[in-house]
Amino acid sequence: MRRNRGSGLSFARRKKKVNFAIIREVIVWTVEILITIMVAFTCVYFLGLRTSVVGQSMAATLNGGDEILVNRFLYKVTDPKAGDVIVFLPNGNEKSHFYVKRVIATPKDVVQIKNGLVYVNGEVYEDSFEAAPVEDAGLAAEEIVLGDNEYFVLGDNRNNSEDSRYANIGNIKKEYIVGKAWFRCAPWGLWGFIE
């Protein structure tokens, strides 16, 4: 008697073909997506901190309400230099809003304000913009010697700025600096790099 192999139960295993092309495509897509997510996260974390300028202390460079992007990576590999516009927390107070000011002097420099002029190491500090004479020298009426990792900052609108001249702000320690203000992204008509 002849049995029909096509009918009935069969417990023999059939060898399935693995489609390596599809597996390879899935792996390539997964790796590309992970790389894109890592690049996006890095860019947003280090270059994309967005904050608002509070008040008119940086006018005419920046105005109150301007939205700026902060580069948090730069000062992890270099130090702030005179002329940089930085974003910091006064005395490291994380409950405070971010302050935006311009670095005037760096560690070990000697700062003094007299006769309306800012002196750094005995030389008149040259601004990249036209600054009004300083009416209130505050703590800088006497020479201030900056310590290691300390920075002296002023607002560009010198006579309407709460900055290193006052005891509640004082010299800024590097650990309190969030990053460098590098791009104004709002209002749209004024967007561009910050100098």
Side-chain angles (χ1 to χ4, degrees):
M1 184 169 218
R2 195 169 176 194
R3 291 188 181 177
N4 187 357
R5 292 190 175 193
S7 64
L9 293 174
S10 172
F11 294 101
R13 291 188 175 187
R14 292 184 195 161
K15 198 169 193 180
K16 293 182 182 179
K17 291 185 178 181
V18 177
N19 191 339
F20 288 106
I22 291 176
I23 293 173
R24 183 177 173 272
E25 189 74 20
V26 168
I27 290 171
V28 167
W29 273 88
T30 304
V31 169
E32 287 177 353
I33 290 170
L34 289 174
I35 289 171
T36 303
I37 290 170
M38 285 174 35
V39 168
F41 173 79
T42 302
C43 287
V44 169
Y45 181 79
F46 287 119
L47 303 176
L49 173 66
R50 184 174 174 162
T51 190
S52 296
V53 177
V54 177
Q56 293 298 319
S57 69
M58 286 298 291
T61 305
L62 297 168
N63 297 304
D66 285 0
E67 296 284 327
I68 60 173
L69 296 178
V70 180
N71 182 337
R72 291 193 274 193
F73 178 71
L74 182 64
Y75 295 146
K76 294 190 184 309
V77 294
T78 64
D79 292 324
K81 59 185 184 304
D84 285 358
V85 176
I86 64 168
V87 175
F88 65 94
L89 291 167
N91 301 310
N93 182 358
E94 294 186 12
K95 294 183 180 178
S96 174
H97 65 83
F98 290 126
Y99 278 58
V100 181
K101 306 291 179 197
R102 187 174 302 275
V103 175
I104 302 300
T106 57
K108 305 293 185 185
D109 284 345
V110 179
V111 182
Q112 186 174 20
I113 299 175
K114 55 185 178 183
N115 302 323
L117 298 174
V118 179
Y119 291 85
V120 177
N121 299 324
E123 303 284 324
V124 174
Y125 179 79
E126 296 293 331
D127 287 300
S128 59
F129 58 94
E130 191 171 326
V134 180
E135 295 171 3
D136 181 9
L139 297 173
E142 302 294 324
E143 284 188 347
I144 297 174
V145 179
L146 298 176
D148 292 333
N149 296 317
E150 286 187 342
Y151 297 84
F152 188 89
V153 298
L154 293 175
D156 288 356
N157 185 0
R158 304 276 160 80
N159 296 314
N160 186 19
S161 176
E162 185 179 24
D163 46 41
S164 290
R165 295 174 289 168
Y166 303 105
N168 59 331
I169 302 293
N171 299 334
I172 308 302
K173 295 184 178 186
K174 186 176 180 186
E175 64 198 69
Y176 301 151
I177 297 174
V178 175
K180 180 178 182 178
W182 69 281
F183 193 82
R184 175 174 21 201
C185 52
W188 292 107
L190 297 174
W191 65 272
F193 292 99
I194 300 169
E195 295 182 26

